[in-house]
């Protein structure tokens, strides 16, 4: 039996929902050390909690940039340039490196791979065709050089696989690993909802432009104004740059909003248990771990094509001609619908007027 490898994992930060996954990986290797660029990024609410993982915080220069995505939204990006990646790797001498994303840390990991030819490099690509749309030729050229020096790639779904194919990566080097969370916390939620909770909508995450929140909020309020006998209730869990705009929005009397502010990860299940539908009106997401949490909690999920495409093996997608794609069954799920376009009115009708998707 071959000896278990010494593994180095390079990532921007150690999110609390990643800790159980990395601890499970740790049990399958000789040794695991996690190298992180920062304790947490400015737009993340959690405090550092690394469990039992051997974690090193690197000396890092962080560049804040603004990207204008072809979808029309503005995105704040944090580019971490860790200055000590190669020296730390040489000191640790890993057999295998898993490096997150395709930026400076992976470029340095590729240099280590060339210096130590017996090592192996796997790039964890948290991306999709939508997330990478609009980048220029220079970035594409750099990535083509980068992927030529890697031994394998991990993507969350078929959209990521197709993007790597465009960079010239052969299918034999691509491994699809669906994103996961420890569902024990969420699987304790009851499968049924009653009273107000049954129709209460839940959004859980960052309040940023690429999530499509303001368009959805406006569409929800418009539906409420046209249906005065129905109450539309949305619980917003999280925080972000759009919080003031979302809170100041004025809708009709039957449009009810609740803002909880940032919530500790261990307390999220309570909010899933008290709501009936998870909304994810995103314009760009590589996966969306809230989908895992919602399914485990017994909630249907309402999303757009920009999450349905990476999740195309899991979500049922309503199309404009009324047809639907067949999907795998997910434990504890009841039903879900995802619109084929992120148009607010279509999105809203899928949520509150089931059966009318084909009429849109």
């Amino acid at each position: 039996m071959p000896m278990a490898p010494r593994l180095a994992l390079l990532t921007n930060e150690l999110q609390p929902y990643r800790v159980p996954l990395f601890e499970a990986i740790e049990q399958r290797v000789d040794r695991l050390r996690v190298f992180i660029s920062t304790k947490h990024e400015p737009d993340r609410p959690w405090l550092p909690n690394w469990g039992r993982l051997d974690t090193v915080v690197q000396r890092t220069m962080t560049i804040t940039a603004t990207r204008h995505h072809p979808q029309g939204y503005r995105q704040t990006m944090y580019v971490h340039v860790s200055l000590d990646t190669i020296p730390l790797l040489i000191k640790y001498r890993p057999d295998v490196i898993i490096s997150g994303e395709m930026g400076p840390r992976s470029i340095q990991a590729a240099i280590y791979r060339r210096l130590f030819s017996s090592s192996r490099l796997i790039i964890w690509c948290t991306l999709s065709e939508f997330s990478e749309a609009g980048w220029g030729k220079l970035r594409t050229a750099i990535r083509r050089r980068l992927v030529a020096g890697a031994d394998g790639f991990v993507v969350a779904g078929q959209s990521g696989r197709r993007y790597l194919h465009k960079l010239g990566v052969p299918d034999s080097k691509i491994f699809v690993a669906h994103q996961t969370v420890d569902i024990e916390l969420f699987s304790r939620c009851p499968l049924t909802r009653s009273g107000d909770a049954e129709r209460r909508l839940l959004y859980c995450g960052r309040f940023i432009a690429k999530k499509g929140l303001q368009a959805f909020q406006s569409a929800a309020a418009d539906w409420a104004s046209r249906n005065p006998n129905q109450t539309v209730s949305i619980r917003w869990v999280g925080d972000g740059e759009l919080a003031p705009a979302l809170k100041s929005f004025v809708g009709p009397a039957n449009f009810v909003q609740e803002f909880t502010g940032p919530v500790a990860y261990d307390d999220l299940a309570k909010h899933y248990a008290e709501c009936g539908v998870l909304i994810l009106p995103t314009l760009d997401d590589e996966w969306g771990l809230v989908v895992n949490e919602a399914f485990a909690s017994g909630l249907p999920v309402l999303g757009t094509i920009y999450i349905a495409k990476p999740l195309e093996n899991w979500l049922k997608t309503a199309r404009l001609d009324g047809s639907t794609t067949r999907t795998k069954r997910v434990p504890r799920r009841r039903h879900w619908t995802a619109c084929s376009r992120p148009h607010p009115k279509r999105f809203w009708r899928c949520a509150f007027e089931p059966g009318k998707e084909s009429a849109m």
Side-chain angles (χ1 to χ4, degrees), residues 66-343:
T66 300
R67 181 193 181 197
H68 297 274
H69 195 275
Q71 281 291 91
Y73 66 83
R74 191 170 51 113
Q75 179 183 7
T76 300
M77 302 178 61
Y78 303 103
V79 181
H80 303 294
V81 182
S82 296
L83 307 176
D84 54 358
T85 299
I86 295 176
L88 287 173
L89 289 175
I90 292 175
K91 183 177 179 180
Y92 180 57
R93 293 298 294 269
D95 303 303
V96 178
I97 302 171
I98 298 177
S99 182
E101 302 174 331
M102 303 180 77
R105 77 174 59 87
S106 292
I107 292 174
Q108 294 182 79
I111 294 173
Y112 175 89
R113 167 70 176 86
R114 288 184 64 88
L115 292 174
F116 298 90
S117 58
S118 62
S119 64
R120 295 294 179 265
L121 171 60
I122 299 172
I123 299 179
W124 185 354
C125 304
T126 52
L127 49 75
S128 71
E129 294 164 296
F130 300 123
S131 69
E132 304 312 297
W135 286 119
K137 294 181 179 179
L138 177 60
R139 177 178 289 252
T140 301
I142 292 173
R143 288 186 169 183
R144 287 185 186 276
R145 292 291 301 272
L146 174 62
V147 300
D151 301 285
F153 303 84
V154 176
V155 294
Q158 299 304 319
S159 182
R161 184 198 294 270
R162 289 190 292 269
Y163 175 77
L164 289 179
H165 285 165
K166 295 174 184 177
L167 293 180
V169 178
D171 206 53
S172 60
K173 288 188 175 184
I174 302 173
F175 302 88
V176 176
H178 299 303
Q179 302 276 25
T180 184
V181 295
D182 185 351
I183 67 171
E184 181 179 358
L185 182 68
F186 303 95
S187 60
R188 299 171 189 165
C189 296
L191 286 177
T192 58
R193 308 291 189 271
S194 60
D196 295 338
E198 187 175 16
R199 290 171 64 86
R200 182 180 296 124
L201 303 178
L202 171 67
Y203 174 79
C204 186
R206 293 179 292 166
F207 299 171
I208 56 177
K210 79 170 188 175
K211 300 296 184 179
L213 304 181
Q214 289 178 288
F216 181 82
Q217 184 186 52
S218 178
D222 178 67
W223 190 92
S225 66
R226 292 184 286 104
N227 296 269
N229 295 327
Q230 299 280 356
T231 297
V232 177
S233 177
I234 306 177
R235 178 176 296 184
W236 303 92
V237 176
D239 203 356
E241 59 189 31
L242 292 183
L246 294 171
K247 291 178 180 179
S248 63
F249 180 86
V250 178
N254 61 329
F255 181 67
V256 179
Q257 297 190 103
E258 176 187 357
F259 293 87
T260 68
V263 172
Y265 189 73
D266 290 344
D267 297 329
L268 285 179
K270 168 182 177 292
H271 297 283
Y272 282 94
E274 295 176 354
C275 297
V277 177
L278 177 79
I279 60 171
L280 187 56
T282 183
L283 300 174
D284 164 21
D285 257 301
E286 171 253 349
W287 182 268
L289 286 170
V290 290
V291 173
N292 302 56
E293 296 164 359
F295 286 163
S297 303
L299 265 67
V301 175
L302 177 64
T304 65
I305 189 174
Y306 299 100
I307 190 64
K309 275 292 183 180
L311 284 168
E312 59 194 14
N313 289 332
W314 296 94
L315 290 175
K316 177 180 178 183
T317 305
R319 304 194 181 281
L320 297 183
D321 60 3
S323 64
T324 58
T325 57
R326 292 189 176 272
T327 60
K328 299 178 181 178
R329 289 185 174 272
V330 178
R332 296 178 61 84
R333 67 100 165 137
R334 292 183 292 173
H335 63 279
W336 58 83
T337 304
C339 296
S340 59
R341 292 289 183 273
H343 189 285

